[in-house]
Amino acid sequence: MPLIQTNGIELFYAERGEGEPLVLLMGLGADGSLWEEHVRAYEQHFRCILVDNRGAGGSSQPIGPYTTKIMAADTLGLLDALGIERAHFSGISMGSAIAQEAALSAPDRVISLTLNCSWSMCDAYTKRVFETLGNAYSLMEADDFQKLLQLIIYTPSYHEQHLSVLETAQQAALAHPSPMTIHAFLSQCEACISHHTAGRLGAITAPTLITVGDQDIFTPLPLSLAIAEEITHAEKHVFVGSGHTHHWDRLEEFNRVTLDFMLRHREAIQARRDEDEA
């Protein structure tokens, strides 16, 4: 399995498809494989690079502290190792915070930026959510923790319509062969709490798309709107009636909106290259 030495750790990644590189960064406690339902659409147009963030999946789980800036450096080091100069970046939740830091530290390397259910700094409410999840992961059985997480990230209507899907995922947590260590999960929680790009995001010039569910109680809508106030050229797509998992419970719409955005900017860049060559 592909492992790259970067920033003092081993980073696991997987590749799918061909075309311009697309870096996909997943959220708290999750590994890159959870992009599967999106990659099926993306890989037809892009070279998708699915990253297991520091602490997750097949990547190293070093003792903390972790920060989103450190994890952005991990990701940029992966691109260095793969010989990739520029890429599209898309991040979900914690992954979007990592993508922000990548865009700020290496702006010339970002073709486009997609920030899904994001935030630029924790308010009091969101900080308490991350603290509570960290404590729960330390104390609860895996299936009970999965149930708690589902209650936070999925809407009540999704529970009504897809309870069996959620219960299956809850039970699968008990059978996971290599669950994330407590110290790694707590370190990722701390990275989420300490994330702070507010006041700096105006420096991002890459084409940017912000997606968010208006019923998100994990990283609520105002946090994404605050990002849009700083990245004034950003496009926004609000998924009405959806929550933190709008990228899953509105899968077809999410894939269509995000793919359209990336393709538009891929084509614009290629057109400029063609003009230069002419």
Side-chain angles (χ1 to χ4, degrees):
M1 307 299 278
L3 284 167
I4 289 290
Q5 294 281 343
T6 173
N7 206 22
I9 65 166
E10 285 190 327
L11 203 67
F12 177 89
Y13 71 100
E15 288 198 49
R16 299 264 295 275
E18 297 180 354
E20 286 187 346
L22 166 59
V23 176
L24 297 169
L25 299 164
M26 190 42 78
L28 173 66
D31 61 48
S33 68
L34 292 184
W35 281 100
E36 175 62 31
E37 298 297 325
H38 314 304
V39 169
R40 290 178 186 174
Y42 297 162
E43 68 181 343
Q44 301 175 45
H45 307 277
F46 295 97
R47 175 187 176 187
C48 300
I49 301 167
L50 293 69
V51 182
D52 284 3
N53 298 313
R54 173 184 294 243
S59 293
S60 299
Q61 300 189 25
I63 299 299
Y66 300 177
T67 66
T68 54
K69 192 169 186 177
I70 287 173
M71 288 190 276
D74 295 343
T75 304
L76 293 170
L78 171 62
L79 295 187
D80 290 340
L82 296 176
I84 296 173
E85 293 184 7
R86 287 166 56 78
H88 300 265
F89 282 73
S90 181
I92 289 173
S93 197
M94 184 185 76
S96 72
I98 297 169
Q100 291 171 41
E101 286 287 9
L104 288 168
S105 62
D108 293 341
R109 306 190 71 171
V110 180
I111 299 171
S112 74
L113 181 65
T114 304
L115 305 175
N116 309 293
C117 43
S118 198
W119 72 100
S120 60
M121 61 179 290
C122 281
D123 56 11
Y125 173 88
T126 305
K127 179 181 178 182
R128 296 189 81 191
V129 169
F130 285 122
E131 290 174 342
T132 299
L133 284 177
N135 291 336
Y137 194 86
S138 303
L139 299 171
M140 298 175 76
E141 294 296 330
D143 58 336
D144 285 334
F145 175 80
Q146 183 70 17
K147 184 177 182 179
L148 172 64
L149 181 62
Q150 290 171 350
L151 288 167
I152 295 173
I153 65 177
Y154 289 96
T155 60
S157 62
Y158 190 88
H159 277 75
E160 288 296 326
Q161 298 167 19
H162 303 283
L163 183 59
S164 63
V165 173
L166 296 176
E167 289 175 338
T168 298
Q170 182 185 347
Q171 291 304 310
L174 284 173
H176 196 289
S178 54
M180 193 173 186
T181 63
I182 292 174
H183 83 259
F185 189 84
L186 290 174
S187 294
Q188 283 199 355
C189 287
E190 284 300 320
C192 292
I193 291 169
S194 66
H195 175 69
H196 196 300
T197 54
R200 296 192 284 139
L201 293 175
I204 291 176
T205 58
T208 302
L209 170 66
I210 298 168
T211 77
V212 61
D214 71 341
Q215 301 300 308
D216 192 340
I217 64 166
F218 192 167
T219 53
L221 175 62
L223 299 182
S224 286
L225 297 181
I227 293 173
E229 289 179 4
E230 287 199 58
I231 309 177
T232 56
H233 63 275
E235 301 177 31
K236 300 186 295 292
H237 191 93
V238 178
F239 289 77
V240 176
S242 191
H244 197 68
T245 56
H246 64 274
H247 51 94
W248 283 325
D249 57 48
R250 300 279 283 280
L251 178 66
E252 289 188 12
E253 182 182 356
F254 177 85
N255 285 350
R256 175 180 54 79
V257 168
T258 54
L259 187 56
D260 172 71
F261 168 76
M262 292 185 291
L263 287 175
R264 277 191 282 115
H265 293 289
R266 183 195 67 170
E267 290 165 356
I269 288 169
Q270 187 60 52
R272 288 198 294 272
R273 287 175 180 164
D274 293 343
E275 289 176 2
D276 292 340
E277 291 174 0

